[in-house]
Amino acid sequence: MIEHLKQKYLEEAHDLLLELEKTLLLLEENPADSEGVEVAFRVMHTLKGSSGMFGYQQVSELVHLLENGYDTIRTNKQAVPLSLLELSLESVDHIRLLLTEDTTNTPATEGAHRLLLKRAAELLYEMPAPEDERAMPAAPAGKSLRTWAIFFAPQQDMLKNGSNPLYLLEELAGFGGFRSFSCTGQLPPLTELDVQQCYLSWMLLLATEAPEGDIRDVFMFVEELCQLQLEPLGEGDLLADLKEEQLTALADKIALALDKESFAAYVRELKTTTAQVKPVVSPETAQETTAQLASGVKEKSVTSIRVASDKLDDLMNLVSELVANQERLSLLAELSMMPELAGVAEEIEKITRQLRDKTFDICLVPIGSLLTRFKRLVRDLSQELGKNIAFEAEGMDTELDKNVIDSLSDCLVHILRNCIDHGLEAEAERIAKGKNPQGTILLKAFNSGTNVVIEIKDDGRGISSEKVRNKAVEKGLIRPDQVLTEKESLELILMPGFSTAQSITSVSGRGVGLDVVKKKIKELRGEVSIASKVGQGATITIALPLTISIIDGLLVRVADTDYVLPLSFVEKSYSVTPADLLNTKNNQLILDGEPVIYFNLAEAFSAGSLSNNAFGVVIHTGTMRMALLVDEIIGEYQAVLKPLGKFYQEQDFLSGGSLMGDGTVALVLDPQKLIQEITKNRTIDI
Amino acid sequence: MSKVAEQTINSFLSFKLDRETFGVNVNKVIEILEVPHITKIPKSPAFMRGVINLRGTVLPVVDARLKFGLKEIADSVNTCIIVFNIQVAKEQVMVGALVDAVQEVFDMDESQLMPPPSIGGKFRTDFIRGMARNEDDFVMMLDVDKIFASEEIINLQQEVEAVKA
Amino acid sequence: MKLTIKARLIVAFVLLVSIAGTMYYLGTANTETLNSRLGTIIDLNVRRMNLAGKIAEGVQLLTKREKDMILTREADRLDYLVEEFEKNQKILESRTEELRSISDEAGVEIVDDFSNSWESYIKEYKKIKNLAVTINNDSTKVAAALISRSTARENARAAIESINKIVKKNEAALVTANEEADVLYESGKNNMLILLVISVLVAIGVSTWIIVSISSSIAKAKEALKAVSEGNLTYEVDNSSKDEIGELLDFLKNTVEKLKEVIGSVTTAADNIASASQQMSGSSQQMSEGATEQAASAEEVSSSMEEMAANIQQNTDNAQQTEKIALQAAEDIQEGSRSVNQTVDSMKKIAEKITIIGEIARQTNLLALNAAVEAARAGEHGKGFAVVAAEVRRLAERSQLAANEINELSSSSVAIADKSGKLLEQIVPNIQKTARLVQEITAASLEQNAGAEQVNGAIQQLNQVIQQNAASAEEMASGSEELSSQADQLKDTVSFFNIGHQSQFSQSRSNKRKKQHVPVVHLNGNGVPKKATTAKTGLQLELNGHDSMDSDFERF
């Protein structure tokens, strides 16, 4: 059990280290980010506590020192000194080393550890004194104080698992005002007492600014080993308001008996007494609270829970497999001619569909979840660069797969940086040009067909295609005589090794960035395009396929391979005989009296000939209508999309694979890319 | 998985290709599979055999014979897929390699590995980390990361000869 | 005269016949001459006379008409008269011509005279006619009458006279003819008489000559035949004549000679027969003995045959048993073959199952490898498990090897069992063939058995034949005795003829009374010779003794 918990601790610690690292990197970019400091502090605190608990004393002491540093900064609302950040990053690396068992006690690490401790101590000593309430505009106003009643009843064998409830109580005491009432009613006579058992339970009163999540985090490692209940008593520090007699009376009562019901009763009692004492919440605080709720993008809903993303991935996979198997079941039910089975299969199909949709829903994250990050970025950058920029967002409730969102955020950051750095003029320049002194960046997201489109639009100086072109020639990216459309010219800036900025600033201009964006978007199967008008601004458009990992498709067979055509593209299916193909002209087939360009998949994909009773599936994308000739149409199919991976990036006309019920893999076609591929080949043929 | 990848493990999995025996460090190996139905991917190089369903994920399969420039033979009952966890451009990628037969897992210290002779540029021996003697067999230790990162067909025969020389 | 009796008779008759012929000729010749004379008379002369009469008649008629013409004046009458006249004129002229044709020279002259006269008359007539008819008036009539009474009349008279001359001439010719016939008759009668006399003379002479020559020869023949009838064959026939009777004598002489020879040879032959019959009698005896031996042999053959039949029966029984065994064997082998096939099937199933085991072993091997990989990656902690995995792998490998070996073994056993199954299957038809052959042998044995029976029957028949042969031999012996006595009799008979050698007969007579007893063996119906000494069959011998042969036996 200890091993199990230790493992859990290690995982947690690694995650925390990752988070810390990320935060530190962010802080390095924006050392004044108090939120980052908060995060860093909180992470360190958690890490310190758990490390101590599991006997990683070295980690614990190092983190403790650093935590103190951040605590100082936090309380002083200071910007983090770069030296501290550097030390923190080194410490992160060191802690990782410490956490890998076998290397803990080597003299080298021992030395490094001592050195780090020394440096940390020195740094703390040199820590600048708290400055005045300097302008830190984003610094949040004092958080609302809240009093909680906590019912904590550890299981009797909790001690055996290496958890010490007292540590937890101590930690809670660190959150703010704290009173604990223990129930000793369960204690057996001394003769029968087992020292390894925990017979006590507590009712705790805590007045703190920390949100509920943080309080719960304290109990994270013992969650399964105890009964825990959190009940808000009211706003403000009610502890101070309570009279000592009342508390002792309560303590007496609690000492005798404490369980869920009595806890609820005590809470009710306390609530009434506190209400008597302080019947109304002060109006400012209330105002503050509501204002905060309104302005903040719903960062965390009260009812939501955090789920590890890989659990979601697992869920998604399971649902995928369920869908695949359900498809198979439906097929079998259809074949079996058993009405009962068909009914059951239908029911299961319905449920599966619901489950699938719900799971999708879970996995979909609104793009707005990234917004704060962008806002801060814009704010920080504009301050750094001394530009006056308004950041607007539209369609932030457009949802995307969480994995896409993760990848996308970096890209958008890159683009925003570029906009701010190169696109928008300085205030003076704008005035000179007769523009609104405040520059505007518009982030707009919307659904368009099967795509999600994200536009980043600025009203800056725009991009000169001529300039881009010259630059590209200069850099040897294109030949001087190469003829390019304006769009093509503009999109040269997405090529690797391109940077038009004359001077390299700290923000951008390293010539890496946009090409990385393009690469990333391509990995997400999306497209980047640029439009610009000199003097009026530029628009970068990212079109991403709705990465729905389960699509309703038409299952067809070409040679011995199954393909899935997304149903949203399929218009109609026809039977096609070899005779029909004999008299075709210009690759056109007459279907329903209309000529349709056709494409023989069997020929192109398997170098085989079409079967005698083939089918033509007419697909249409926004721009084209085309008949794909396949050997067999098997039927509708819910395809669970799986990426084909790095090795098949070239075959981008396939959006992925789908696992069939019989364990084989069907290939999901991307009609748009397929048509691109076909037309590309066609022109080459000509 | 990534945790242990850093550790040095001195166990090797040996397998057969044509007449040669090759070895790879087991930390690169995830598992060994029998050959299931392989879905071909159109318009891909011949050595890319296609994809299979590996417990819910789509796994690309490389025909090691073709990848190494050996001639194609029909799959036999001994033909196996070794699922490798390789590092390509700092990413961990899983890939299956179709080999003629898998032999055994054996322990050997890295120090026993004879380094490949550095022959002046005629043959590249990048893909072979070294040569070892297991019982009375010579085992070529392959650097799977490099092998599968390369998108070309590797003339392994030449490499093997170069190493043996 | 060397003429034969035949020739003599021919000459005599030829003479007589030729004389008769001459007589006939002479008679005939005379008659014919007479006949021709008569014909001539009747044909020519009578006809001339007749014609001449008619002509004369006609002339008178015409003249009368001529007169009528003158007399009448009537036209019709005239026309009729003219017509009548001209008609009769024509008849008259034609008759005249006929007469002319049958008249002789003298006659013709007379006819010419008539014609001349007639023509002149006609001239006159024409004048009359012209006058009387054409003009027909009184003057003309008168003129015509004048003419008629003058010239016309004269001419008519001349014509009639001429005709009369003809009649007279022919009457004379008739008278001469009659005289000539009388002469001829007389000469014929004389010639015939002469010839008759000559023929009588010739006939008498010839007959005398013939009779004398025949009678002498016949007398000689009579003499010779008389001698032979008396048994004397030594008589010599004398013959001188060369005619038919002489030849007869010659033949007679030859006949006597030949008879003499025949009698001699008959005598010799009779002697020979007598001795031969004695020899035959001996042979018969021998034959009889032979028959006895044959009968004994037949007995032996018969018993051997029975023995053989018994053997054949045994063969048949054995063959039938063999057949049964062979069929049983075939069935057993088929059963065996089925069992082998079942074995093969089972082995194949085993091989299949073993394949499954091999497959499991292979998969276990893979699993163990996977486990080994997993264990190796777990590092130090996996060490223990790695050992286990290696052990499992080794076991899997061993079971795979074992499975492979079993597979090989089972496939080779399948091959062997298959082969033995095939061999067994191949044996079955052979055994069945054997059974069939044995069946054939059984059938053949049965046939042999039947054959042996037949042979036995044949031997019985043979026995009978032998018995018959014995009887025949007995008969033959008696026959030869008879023959001998007959030969003696013959000799006695032939001795009547005297042929000149008497010694032969006395020699044959000395053997005549020597009688011989020819023993004859009696055989019973079964061809087994009866032994008189055996008491049991003695009665049968007695019974058998009553057959007809006994009487034959008694007669000797």
Side-chain angles (χ1 to χ4, degrees):
Chain A
M1 207 52 166
I2 295 260
E3 269 309 306
H4 166 72
L5 284 171
K6 196 169 175 183
Q7 189 60 40
K8 204 165 177 186
Y9 154 74
L10 283 174
E11 273 172 28
E12 169 78 10
H14 275 288
D15 285 350
L16 287 170
L17 281 174
L18 269 178
E19 199 184 342
L20 181 61
E21 198 174 25
K22 208 163 94 187
T23 322
L24 288 174
L25 287 171
L26 278 172
L27 279 172
E28 200 170 26
E29 279 164 17
N30 186 10
D33 183 2
S34 61
E35 203 173 308
V37 176
E38 274 300 333
V39 172
F41 170 72
R42 207 166 57 227
V43 168
M44 282 174 178
H45 182 76
T46 317
L47 188 60
K48 181 190 74 178
S50 53
S51 299
M53 214 185 293
F54 286 95
Y56 287 89
Q57 293 307 331
Q58 284 180 325
V59 178
S60 184
E61 62 191 6
L62 181 57
V63 176
H64 180 70
L65 276 177
L66 290 171
E67 185 196 351
N68 284 346
Y70 283 94
D71 195 22
T72 322
I73 291 163
R74 185 174 68 125
T75 42
N76 295 345
K77 308 273 187 263
Q78 282 171 327
V80 185
L82 282 173
S83 51
L84 178 60
L85 286 173
E86 203 178 318
L87 180 69
S88 309
L89 282 170
E90 272 177 48
S91 304
V92 166
D93 291 343
H94 181 66
I95 292 166
R96 280 211 179 108
L97 210 64
L98 289 176
L99 289 177
T100 52
E101 261 175 288
D102 14 325
T103 50
T104 316
N105 295 315
T106 60
T109 43
E110 198 76 25
H113 183 67
R114 271 196 217 111
L115 190 67
L116 276 172
L117 285 177
K118 193 178 153 234
R119 278 174 62 192
E122 279 168 7
L123 207 68
L124 281 175
Y125 183 73
E126 288 164 10
M127 199 75 114
E131 284 172 43
D132 301 331
E133 295 264 317
R134 206 168 39 95
M136 287 290 280
K143 280 192 178 171
S144 63
L145 208 60
R146 204 183 267 207
T147 307
W148 301 87
I150 300 160
F151 167 58
F152 173 53
Q155 284 168 7
Q156 292 202 337
D157 56 352
M158 190 192 201
L159 296 174
K160 284 184 185 166
N161 294 333
S163 299
N164 188 347
L166 289 181
Y167 283 138
L168 300 173
L169 300 187
E170 257 174 44
E171 199 177 345
L172 276 181
F175 274 48
F178 180 72
R179 281 299 290 267
S180 70
F181 307 94
S182 59
C183 166
T184 51
Q186 303 285 315
L187 269 176
L190 264 175
T191 45
E192 288 165 33
L193 189 117
D194 181 351
V195 286
Q196 289 189 357
Q197 300 273 343
C198 174
Y199 301 101
L200 298 176
S201 55
W202 289 271
M203 176 162 169
L204 309 169
L205 293 179
L206 177 65
T208 178
E209 290 175 5
E212 183 185 355
D214 285 5
I215 301 170
R216 281 189 185 272
D217 280 353
V218 171
F219 295 98
M220 195 167 151
F221 298 104
V222 293
E223 240 171 328
E224 296 149 20
L225 303 168
C226 66
Q227 286 185 335
L228 185 67
Q229 210 166 338
L230 231 70
E231 202 66 44
L233 278 178
E235 301 295 333
D237 187 357
L238 298 177
L239 280 180
D241 301 333
L242 283 168
K243 292 190 184 90
E244 201 57 38
E245 308 90 82
Q246 286 175 315
L247 289 175
T248 34
L250 185 67
D252 290 347
K253 272 190 249 175
I254 289 168
L256 292 172
L258 182 67
D259 53 22
K260 272 189 178 173
E261 288 80 40
S262 50
F263 171 69
Y266 302 145
V267 167
R268 270 198 302 279
E269 193 183 312
L270 274 177
K271 269 184 180 170
T272 47
T273 48
T274 51
Q276 280 162 11
V277 174
K278 196 174 189 175
V280 257
V281 177
S282 70
E284 320 112 84
T285 352
Q287 257 183 7
E288 262 179 7
T289 323
T290 44
Q292 199 188 8
L293 285 170
S295 69
V297 179
K298 34 171 178 173
E299 206 169 322
K300 235 173 251 175
S301 150
V302 186
T303 53
S304 73
I305 52 157
R306 249 183 109 97
V307 181
S309 65
D310 45 351
K311 277 188 187 165
L312 271 185
D313 287 342
D314 287 348
L315 176 66
M316 199 64 220
N317 278 338
L318 286 172
V319 169
S320 304
E321 264 172 62
L322 178 66
V323 166
N325 283 298
Q326 171 266 313
E327 279 292 336
R328 203 173 165 206
L329 174 70
S330 301
L331 201 72
L332 285 175
E334 219 171 278
L335 291 177
S336 74
M337 312 289 285
M338 278 167 65
E340 292 93 340
L341 183 61
V344 172
E346 225 166 81
E347 197 59 34
I348 287 179
E349 187 178 345
K350 220 184 287 168
I351 294 166
T352 311
R353 214 172 267 275
Q354 282 174 6
L355 181 64
R356 184 193 82 178
D357 292 347
K358 286 274 179 262
T359 315
F360 273 152
D361 217 33
I362 291 168
C363 291
L364 287 179
V365 177
I367 212 162
S369 64
L370 295 170
L371 197 60
T372 28
R373 198 178 157 190
F374 297 153
K375 274 189 170 169
R376 200 170 62 227
L377 178 76
V378 171
R379 191 178 53 218
D380 295 351
L381 267 181
S382 57
Q383 272 171 7
E384 192 183 326
L385 297 169
K387 289 179 180 176
N388 186 1
I389 297 165
F391 179 67
E392 290 168 19
E394 272 179 34
M396 282 302 105
D397 51 353
T398 309
E399 287 184 318
L400 272 171
D401 192 280
K402 67 170 179 55
N403 293 325
V404 178
I405 291 277
D406 288 349
S407 309
L408 194 61
S409 91
D410 288 347
C411 294
L412 291 175
V413 165
H414 274 297
I415 292 167
L416 285 171
R417 277 186 187 165
N418 266 291
C419 280
I420 296 162
D421 196 8
H422 306 299
L424 292 167
E425 307 93 332
E427 204 168 344
E429 199 183 333
R430 286 186 72 89
I431 295 166
K433 278 186 182 173
K435 285 183 174 178
N436 185 345
Q438 191 179 43
T440 312
I441 293 176
L442 175 66
L443 175 66
K444 189 176 165 189
F446 56 91
N447 282 307
S448 162
T450 54
N451 287 335
V452 169
V453 180
I454 300 166
E455 275 180 11
I456 299 114
K457 197 174 174 184
D458 67 61
D459 61 347
R461 56 172 77 94
I463 306 165
S464 158
S465 62
E466 196 59 33
K467 253 179 159 179
V468 169
R469 191 193 153 91
N470 289 339
K471 182 92 182 181
V473 172
E474 192 186 305
K475 296 240 170 186
L477 296 173
I478 57 164
R479 294 192 308 277
D481 53 344
Q482 209 160 333
V483 182
L484 296 168
T485 63
E486 178 152 350
K487 194 167 179 285
E488 280 169 338
S489 298
L490 284 175
E491 280 165 12
L492 284 173
I493 65 169
L494 299 171
M495 287 179 80
F498 187 95
S499 177
T500 50
Q502 297 298 317
S503 63
I504 293 175
T505 69
S506 62
V507 183
S508 61
R510 280 189 294 271
V512 290
L514 285 178
D515 63 310
V516 175
V517 169
K518 186 174 181 180
K519 203 175 148 222
K520 276 226 162 174
I521 299 294
K522 209 171 174 194
E523 267 172 36
L524 294 171
R525 312 185 52 75
E527 296 278 329
V528 187
S529 59
I530 300 173
S532 170
K533 265 190 184 165
V534 176
Q536 288 182 18
T539 308
I540 296 180
T541 311
I542 298 172
L544 289 168
L546 259 182
T547 51
I548 293 173
S549 52
I550 300 182
I551 49 172
D552 285 315
L554 188 69
L555 190 62
V556 299
R557 185 166 288 164
V558 177
D560 55 351
T561 310
D562 293 336
Y563 291 91
V564 177
L565 279 165
L567 263 187
S568 51
F569 290 95
V570 176
E571 194 178 286
K572 208 171 178 183
S573 303
Y574 298 90
S575 175
V576 176
T577 60
D580 294 337
L581 296 177
L582 265 179
N583 302 318
T584 52
K585 270 183 200 163
N586 298 331
N587 242 20
Q588 285 188 331
L589 206 60
I590 308 293
L591 294 174
D592 279 351
E594 263 182 80
V596 180
I597 291 175
Y598 73 87
F599 182 66
N600 190 343
L601 284 184
E603 223 167 69
F605 284 177
S606 57
S609 55
L610 212 59
S611 72
N612 276 342
N613 38 5
F615 296 88
V617 180
V618 176
I619 56 166
H620 68 106
T621 63
T623 48
M624 279 227 31
R625 195 160 172 271
M626 174 176 261
L628 299 178
L629 301 189
V630 300
D631 285 333
E632 200 181 328
I633 292 181
I634 297 164
E636 266 184 60
Y637 194 79
Q638 283 190 69
V640 177
L641 205 64
K642 300 271 176 182
L644 289 181
K646 270 196 176 311
F647 286 89
Y648 289 110
Q649 274 180 344
E650 292 296 308
Q651 287 73 39
D652 63 354
F653 53 88
L654 297 171
S655 19
S658 172
L659 306 179
M660 306 289 288
D662 59 357
T664 59
V665 180
L667 302 175
V668 180
L669 288 168
D670 180 337
Q672 278 175 320
K673 294 272 167 59
L674 181 64
I675 286 180
Q676 275 175 25
E677 175 93 11
I678 292 165
T679 45
K680 191 173 78 196
N681 288 345
R682 218 26 74 66
T683 45
I684 287 165
D685 287 350
I686 292 161
Chain B
M1 287 170 215
S2 56
K3 283 184 302 197
V4 278
E6 304 299 324
Q7 291 171 238
T8 47
I9 292 175
N10 294 325
S11 292
F12 296 86
L13 174 70
S14 62
F15 59 87
K16 278 257 175 194
L17 263 186
D18 214 24
R19 284 185 296 277
E20 301 293 342
T21 309
F22 296 96
V24 288
N25 196 313
V26 290
N27 67 22
K28 290 288 170 194
V29 179
I30 292 175
E31 64 175 314
I32 303 146
L33 303 171
E34 283 188 69
V35 184
H37 176 265
I38 302 179
T39 303
K40 286 194 192 71
I41 303 285
K43 305 202 174 201
S44 56
F47 65 80
M48 294 303 297
R49 274 288 280 268
V51 291
I52 59 165
N53 172 5
L54 177 68
R55 282 189 299 282
T57 58
V58 175
L59 179 80
V61 176
V62 176
D63 191 328
R65 277 186 156 268
L66 297 179
K67 177 81 178 176
F68 295 151
L70 301 168
K71 69 174 190 337
E72 193 175 2
I73 54 162
D75 291 352
S76 77
V77 72
N78 287 322
T79 310
C80 284
I81 292 177
I82 303 178
V83 182
F84 289 118
N85 182 32
I86 58 163
Q87 196 164 10
V88 182
K90 288 178 186 162
E91 258 184 87
Q92 296 290 328
V93 178
M94 287 213 287
V95 62
L98 210 62
V99 299
D100 287 356
V102 181
Q103 292 197 304
E104 60 178 336
V105 176
F106 61 96
D107 286 343
M108 196 187 60
D109 207 54
E110 287 272 350
S111 57
Q112 283 177 275
L113 216 62
M114 294 176 253
S118 49
I119 292 171
K122 196 180 177 188
F123 299 118
R124 294 199 308 159
T125 55
D126 293 356
F127 303 109
I128 298 182
R129 280 173 61 203
M131 194 163 58
R133 183 184 271 277
N134 178 34
E135 282 154 26
D136 35 50
D137 211 4
F138 273 110
V139 182
M140 309 285 160
M141 295 301 174
L142 296 177
D143 187 334
V144 281
D145 287 351
K146 279 186 188 158
I147 285 169
F148 291 107
S150 142
E151 287 178 4
E152 293 145 34
I153 293 175
I154 297 161
N155 193 334
L156 200 73
Q157 206 61 44
Q158 283 185 352
E159 291 219 10
V160 167
E161 273 159 30
V163 170
K164 279 187 175 170
Chain C
M1 265 292 268
K2 293 284 181 193
L3 283 172
T4 61
I5 295 166
K6 190 165 77 183
R8 280 175 220 165
L9 286 172
I10 290 166
V11 169
F13 282 110
V14 166
L15 276 174
L16 290 173
V17 168
S18 58
I19 290 165
T22 313
M23 280 165 72
Y24 170 73
Y25 176 73
L26 285 174
T28 318
N30 277 345
T31 323
E32 258 181 36
T33 318
L34 279 171
N35 192 29
S36 66
R37 282 286 166 76
L38 275 169
T40 321
I41 291 163
I42 294 155
D43 280 357
L44 286 171
N45 295 7
V46 171
R47 203 165 148 209
R48 276 172 210 152
M49 281 163 67
N50 197 13
L51 271 171
K54 278 181 183 168
I55 291 167
E57 204 179 329
V59 171
Q60 277 167 350
L61 186 68
L62 282 171
T63 48
K64 204 178 145 212
R65 290 291 179 254
E66 180 233 326
K67 301 287 183 296
D68 287 344
M69 279 175 220
I70 297 163
L71 290 169
T72 187
R73 294 273 302 262
E74 291 164 51
D76 290 348
R77 180 73 185 158
L78 277 174
D79 283 347
Y80 169 73
L81 285 174
V82 169
E83 201 178 317
E84 196 76 357
F85 187 89
E86 280 176 4
K87 198 170 85 189
N88 287 316
Q89 187 195 351
K90 268 181 194 154
I91 293 168
L92 189 131
E93 279 171 4
S94 71
R95 278 174 185 162
T96 309
E97 281 311 299
E98 194 182 351
L99 184 64
R100 196 194 301 272
S101 69
I102 59 170
S103 295
D104 54 4
E105 279 173 30
V108 171
E109 271 175 30
I110 300 162
V111 171
D112 284 347
D113 283 350
F114 167 75
S115 297
N116 288 338
S117 312
W118 181 248
E119 275 168 23
S120 338
Y121 171 73
I122 292 299
K123 275 172 198 165
E124 295 309 317
Y125 162 71
K126 278 177 184 169
K127 283 170 193 170
I128 298 161
K129 185 191 155 195
N130 202 27
L131 292 165
V133 176
T134 319
I135 302 162
N136 195 18
N137 50 27
D138 294 340
S139 57
T140 56
K141 291 276 185 196
V142 169
L146 224 105
I147 297 168
S148 171
R149 272 173 270 153
S150 62
T151 51
R153 199 185 273 171
E154 274 172 49
N155 282 340
R157 216 184 273 138
I160 288 168
E161 273 174 17
S162 296
I163 287 299
N164 286 344
K165 259 191 244 170
I166 289 169
V167 172
K168 278 174 191 155
K169 185 187 161 221
N170 279 311
E171 274 171 353
L174 280 172
V175 172
T176 48
N178 193 29
E179 283 167 359
E180 272 172 23
D182 287 347
V183 171
L184 274 172
Y185 172 72
E186 272 310 315
S187 71
K189 201 167 75 184
N190 292 339
N191 286 347
M192 300 261 279
L193 201 68
I194 295 160
L195 279 173
L196 183 65
V197 172
I198 292 167
S199 65
V200 168
L201 290 176
V202 167
I204 292 166
V206 167
S207 59
T208 317
W209 172 54
I210 288 169
I211 289 161
V212 169
S213 69
I214 289 171
S215 59
S216 70
S217 295
I218 285 177
K220 279 179 193 170
K222 190 184 79 188
E223 270 313 298
L225 281 171
K226 193 186 167 199
V228 168
S229 70
E230 283 162 1
N232 183 13
L233 296 177
T234 56
Y235 181 82
E236 293 287 328
V237 178
D238 172 41
N239 180 29
S240 55
S241 71
K242 301 289 178 199
D243 56 8
E244 278 90 341
I245 293 171
E247 277 175 34
L248 190 73
L249 280 173
D250 279 349
F251 288 138
L252 185 67
K253 187 181 175 185
N254 283 350
T255 305
V256 171
E257 289 287 314
K258 286 281 174 198
L259 197 62
K260 202 160 83 180
E261 276 173 36
V262 165
I263 296 298
S265 56
V266 165
T267 316
T268 323
D271 279 346
N272 287 347
I273 287 166
S275 69
S277 66
Q278 274 167 4
Q279 277 177 349
M280 205 165 82
S281 182
S283 296
S284 297
Q285 194 180 2
Q286 275 177 346
M287 212 160 85
S288 188
E289 279 164 16
T292 316
E293 275 172 44
Q294 260 181 344
S297 300
E299 168 79 345
E300 266 175 59
V301 169
S302 180
S303 67
S304 300
M305 268 327 282
E306 261 163 33
E307 212 170 306
M308 198 164 88
N311 285 338
I312 287 167
Q313 188 57 45
Q314 201 172 351
N315 271 356
T316 314
D317 289 348
N318 288 342
Q320 273 166 343
Q321 214 158 341
T322 313
E323 187 198 332
K324 261 181 217 153
I325 291 165
L327 286 175
Q328 185 62 41
E331 242 168 62
D332 290 350
I333 283 165
Q334 267 172 335
E335 184 64 40
S337 170
R338 265 197 295 280
S339 304
V340 168
N341 281 342
Q342 276 173 354
T343 311
V344 169
D345 283 349
S346 306
M347 276 178 173
K348 277 179 187 162
K349 269 180 202 155
I350 290 172
E352 270 167 40
K353 297 284 186 259
I354 293 293
T355 314
I356 294 169
I357 291 174
E359 180 66 17
I360 291 168
R362 208 171 52 73
Q363 284 179 353
T364 312
N365 197 2
L366 257 190
L367 270 179
L369 264 177
N370 270 323
V373 168
E374 208 61 55
R377 287 194 313 174
E380 212 44 53
H381 295 288
K383 271 272 153 55
F385 189 65
V387 173
V388 176
E391 207 56 46
V392 171
R393 208 177 68 80
R394 217 159 291 136
L395 283 176
E397 246 171 22
R398 266 171 61 195
S399 50
Q400 196 172 357
L401 272 179
N404 282 346
E405 268 170 41
I406 293 173
N407 224 344
E408 267 167 38
L409 283 176
S410 63
S411 56
S412 72
S413 350
V414 163
I416 291 165
D418 245 341
K419 201 175 163 192
S420 45
K422 276 192 191 112
L423 284 176
L424 282 179
E425 270 166 22
Q426 278 174 356
I427 290 171
V428 170
N430 285 341
I431 288 177
Q432 279 170 339
K433 199 175 171 189
T434 310
R436 232 180 4 257
L437 287 177
V438 171
Q439 255 174 344
E440 276 171 38
I441 290 172
T442 316
S445 294
L446 285 172
E447 268 175 51
Q448 250 178 3
N449 219 348
E453 296 265 303
Q454 278 177 351
V455 169
N456 225 341
I459 287 172
Q460 300 286 15
Q461 277 179 343
L462 187 68
N463 226 338
Q464 278 173 5
V465 171
I466 289 168
Q467 210 172 344
Q468 278 173 4
N469 276 357
S472 300
E474 203 178 329
E475 269 176 52
M476 211 154 76
S478 71
S480 65
E481 281 298 316
E482 184 81 359
L483 194 64
S484 183
S485 74
Q486 297 284 340
D488 283 348
Q489 240 176 342
L490 186 63
K491 273 191 214 168
D492 281 348
T493 314
V494 171
S495 64
F496 166 73
F497 292 107
N498 177 17
I499 54 168
H501 323 283
Q502 276 310 63
S503 60
Q504 281 175 335
F505 291 96
S506 57
Q507 201 181 353
S508 69
R509 227 159 264 265
S510 60
N511 291 335
K512 201 182 169 181
R513 289 294 128 194
K514 214 189 216 173
K515 279 184 190 172
Q516 274 187 317
H517 172 78
V518 180
V520 172
V521 178
H522 287 265
L523 298 163
N524 66 2
N526 292 329
V528 183
K530 297 283 168 194
K531 283 164 191 154
T533 45
T534 49
K536 267 190 183 171
T537 50
L539 187 62
Q540 268 181 319
L541 181 66
E542 288 297 308
L543 287 170
N544 278 336
H546 284 295
D547 63 15
S548 58
M549 280 178 191
D550 276 6
S551 55
D552 288 340
F553 192 72
E554 289 295 318
R555 274 206 295 196
F556 277 99

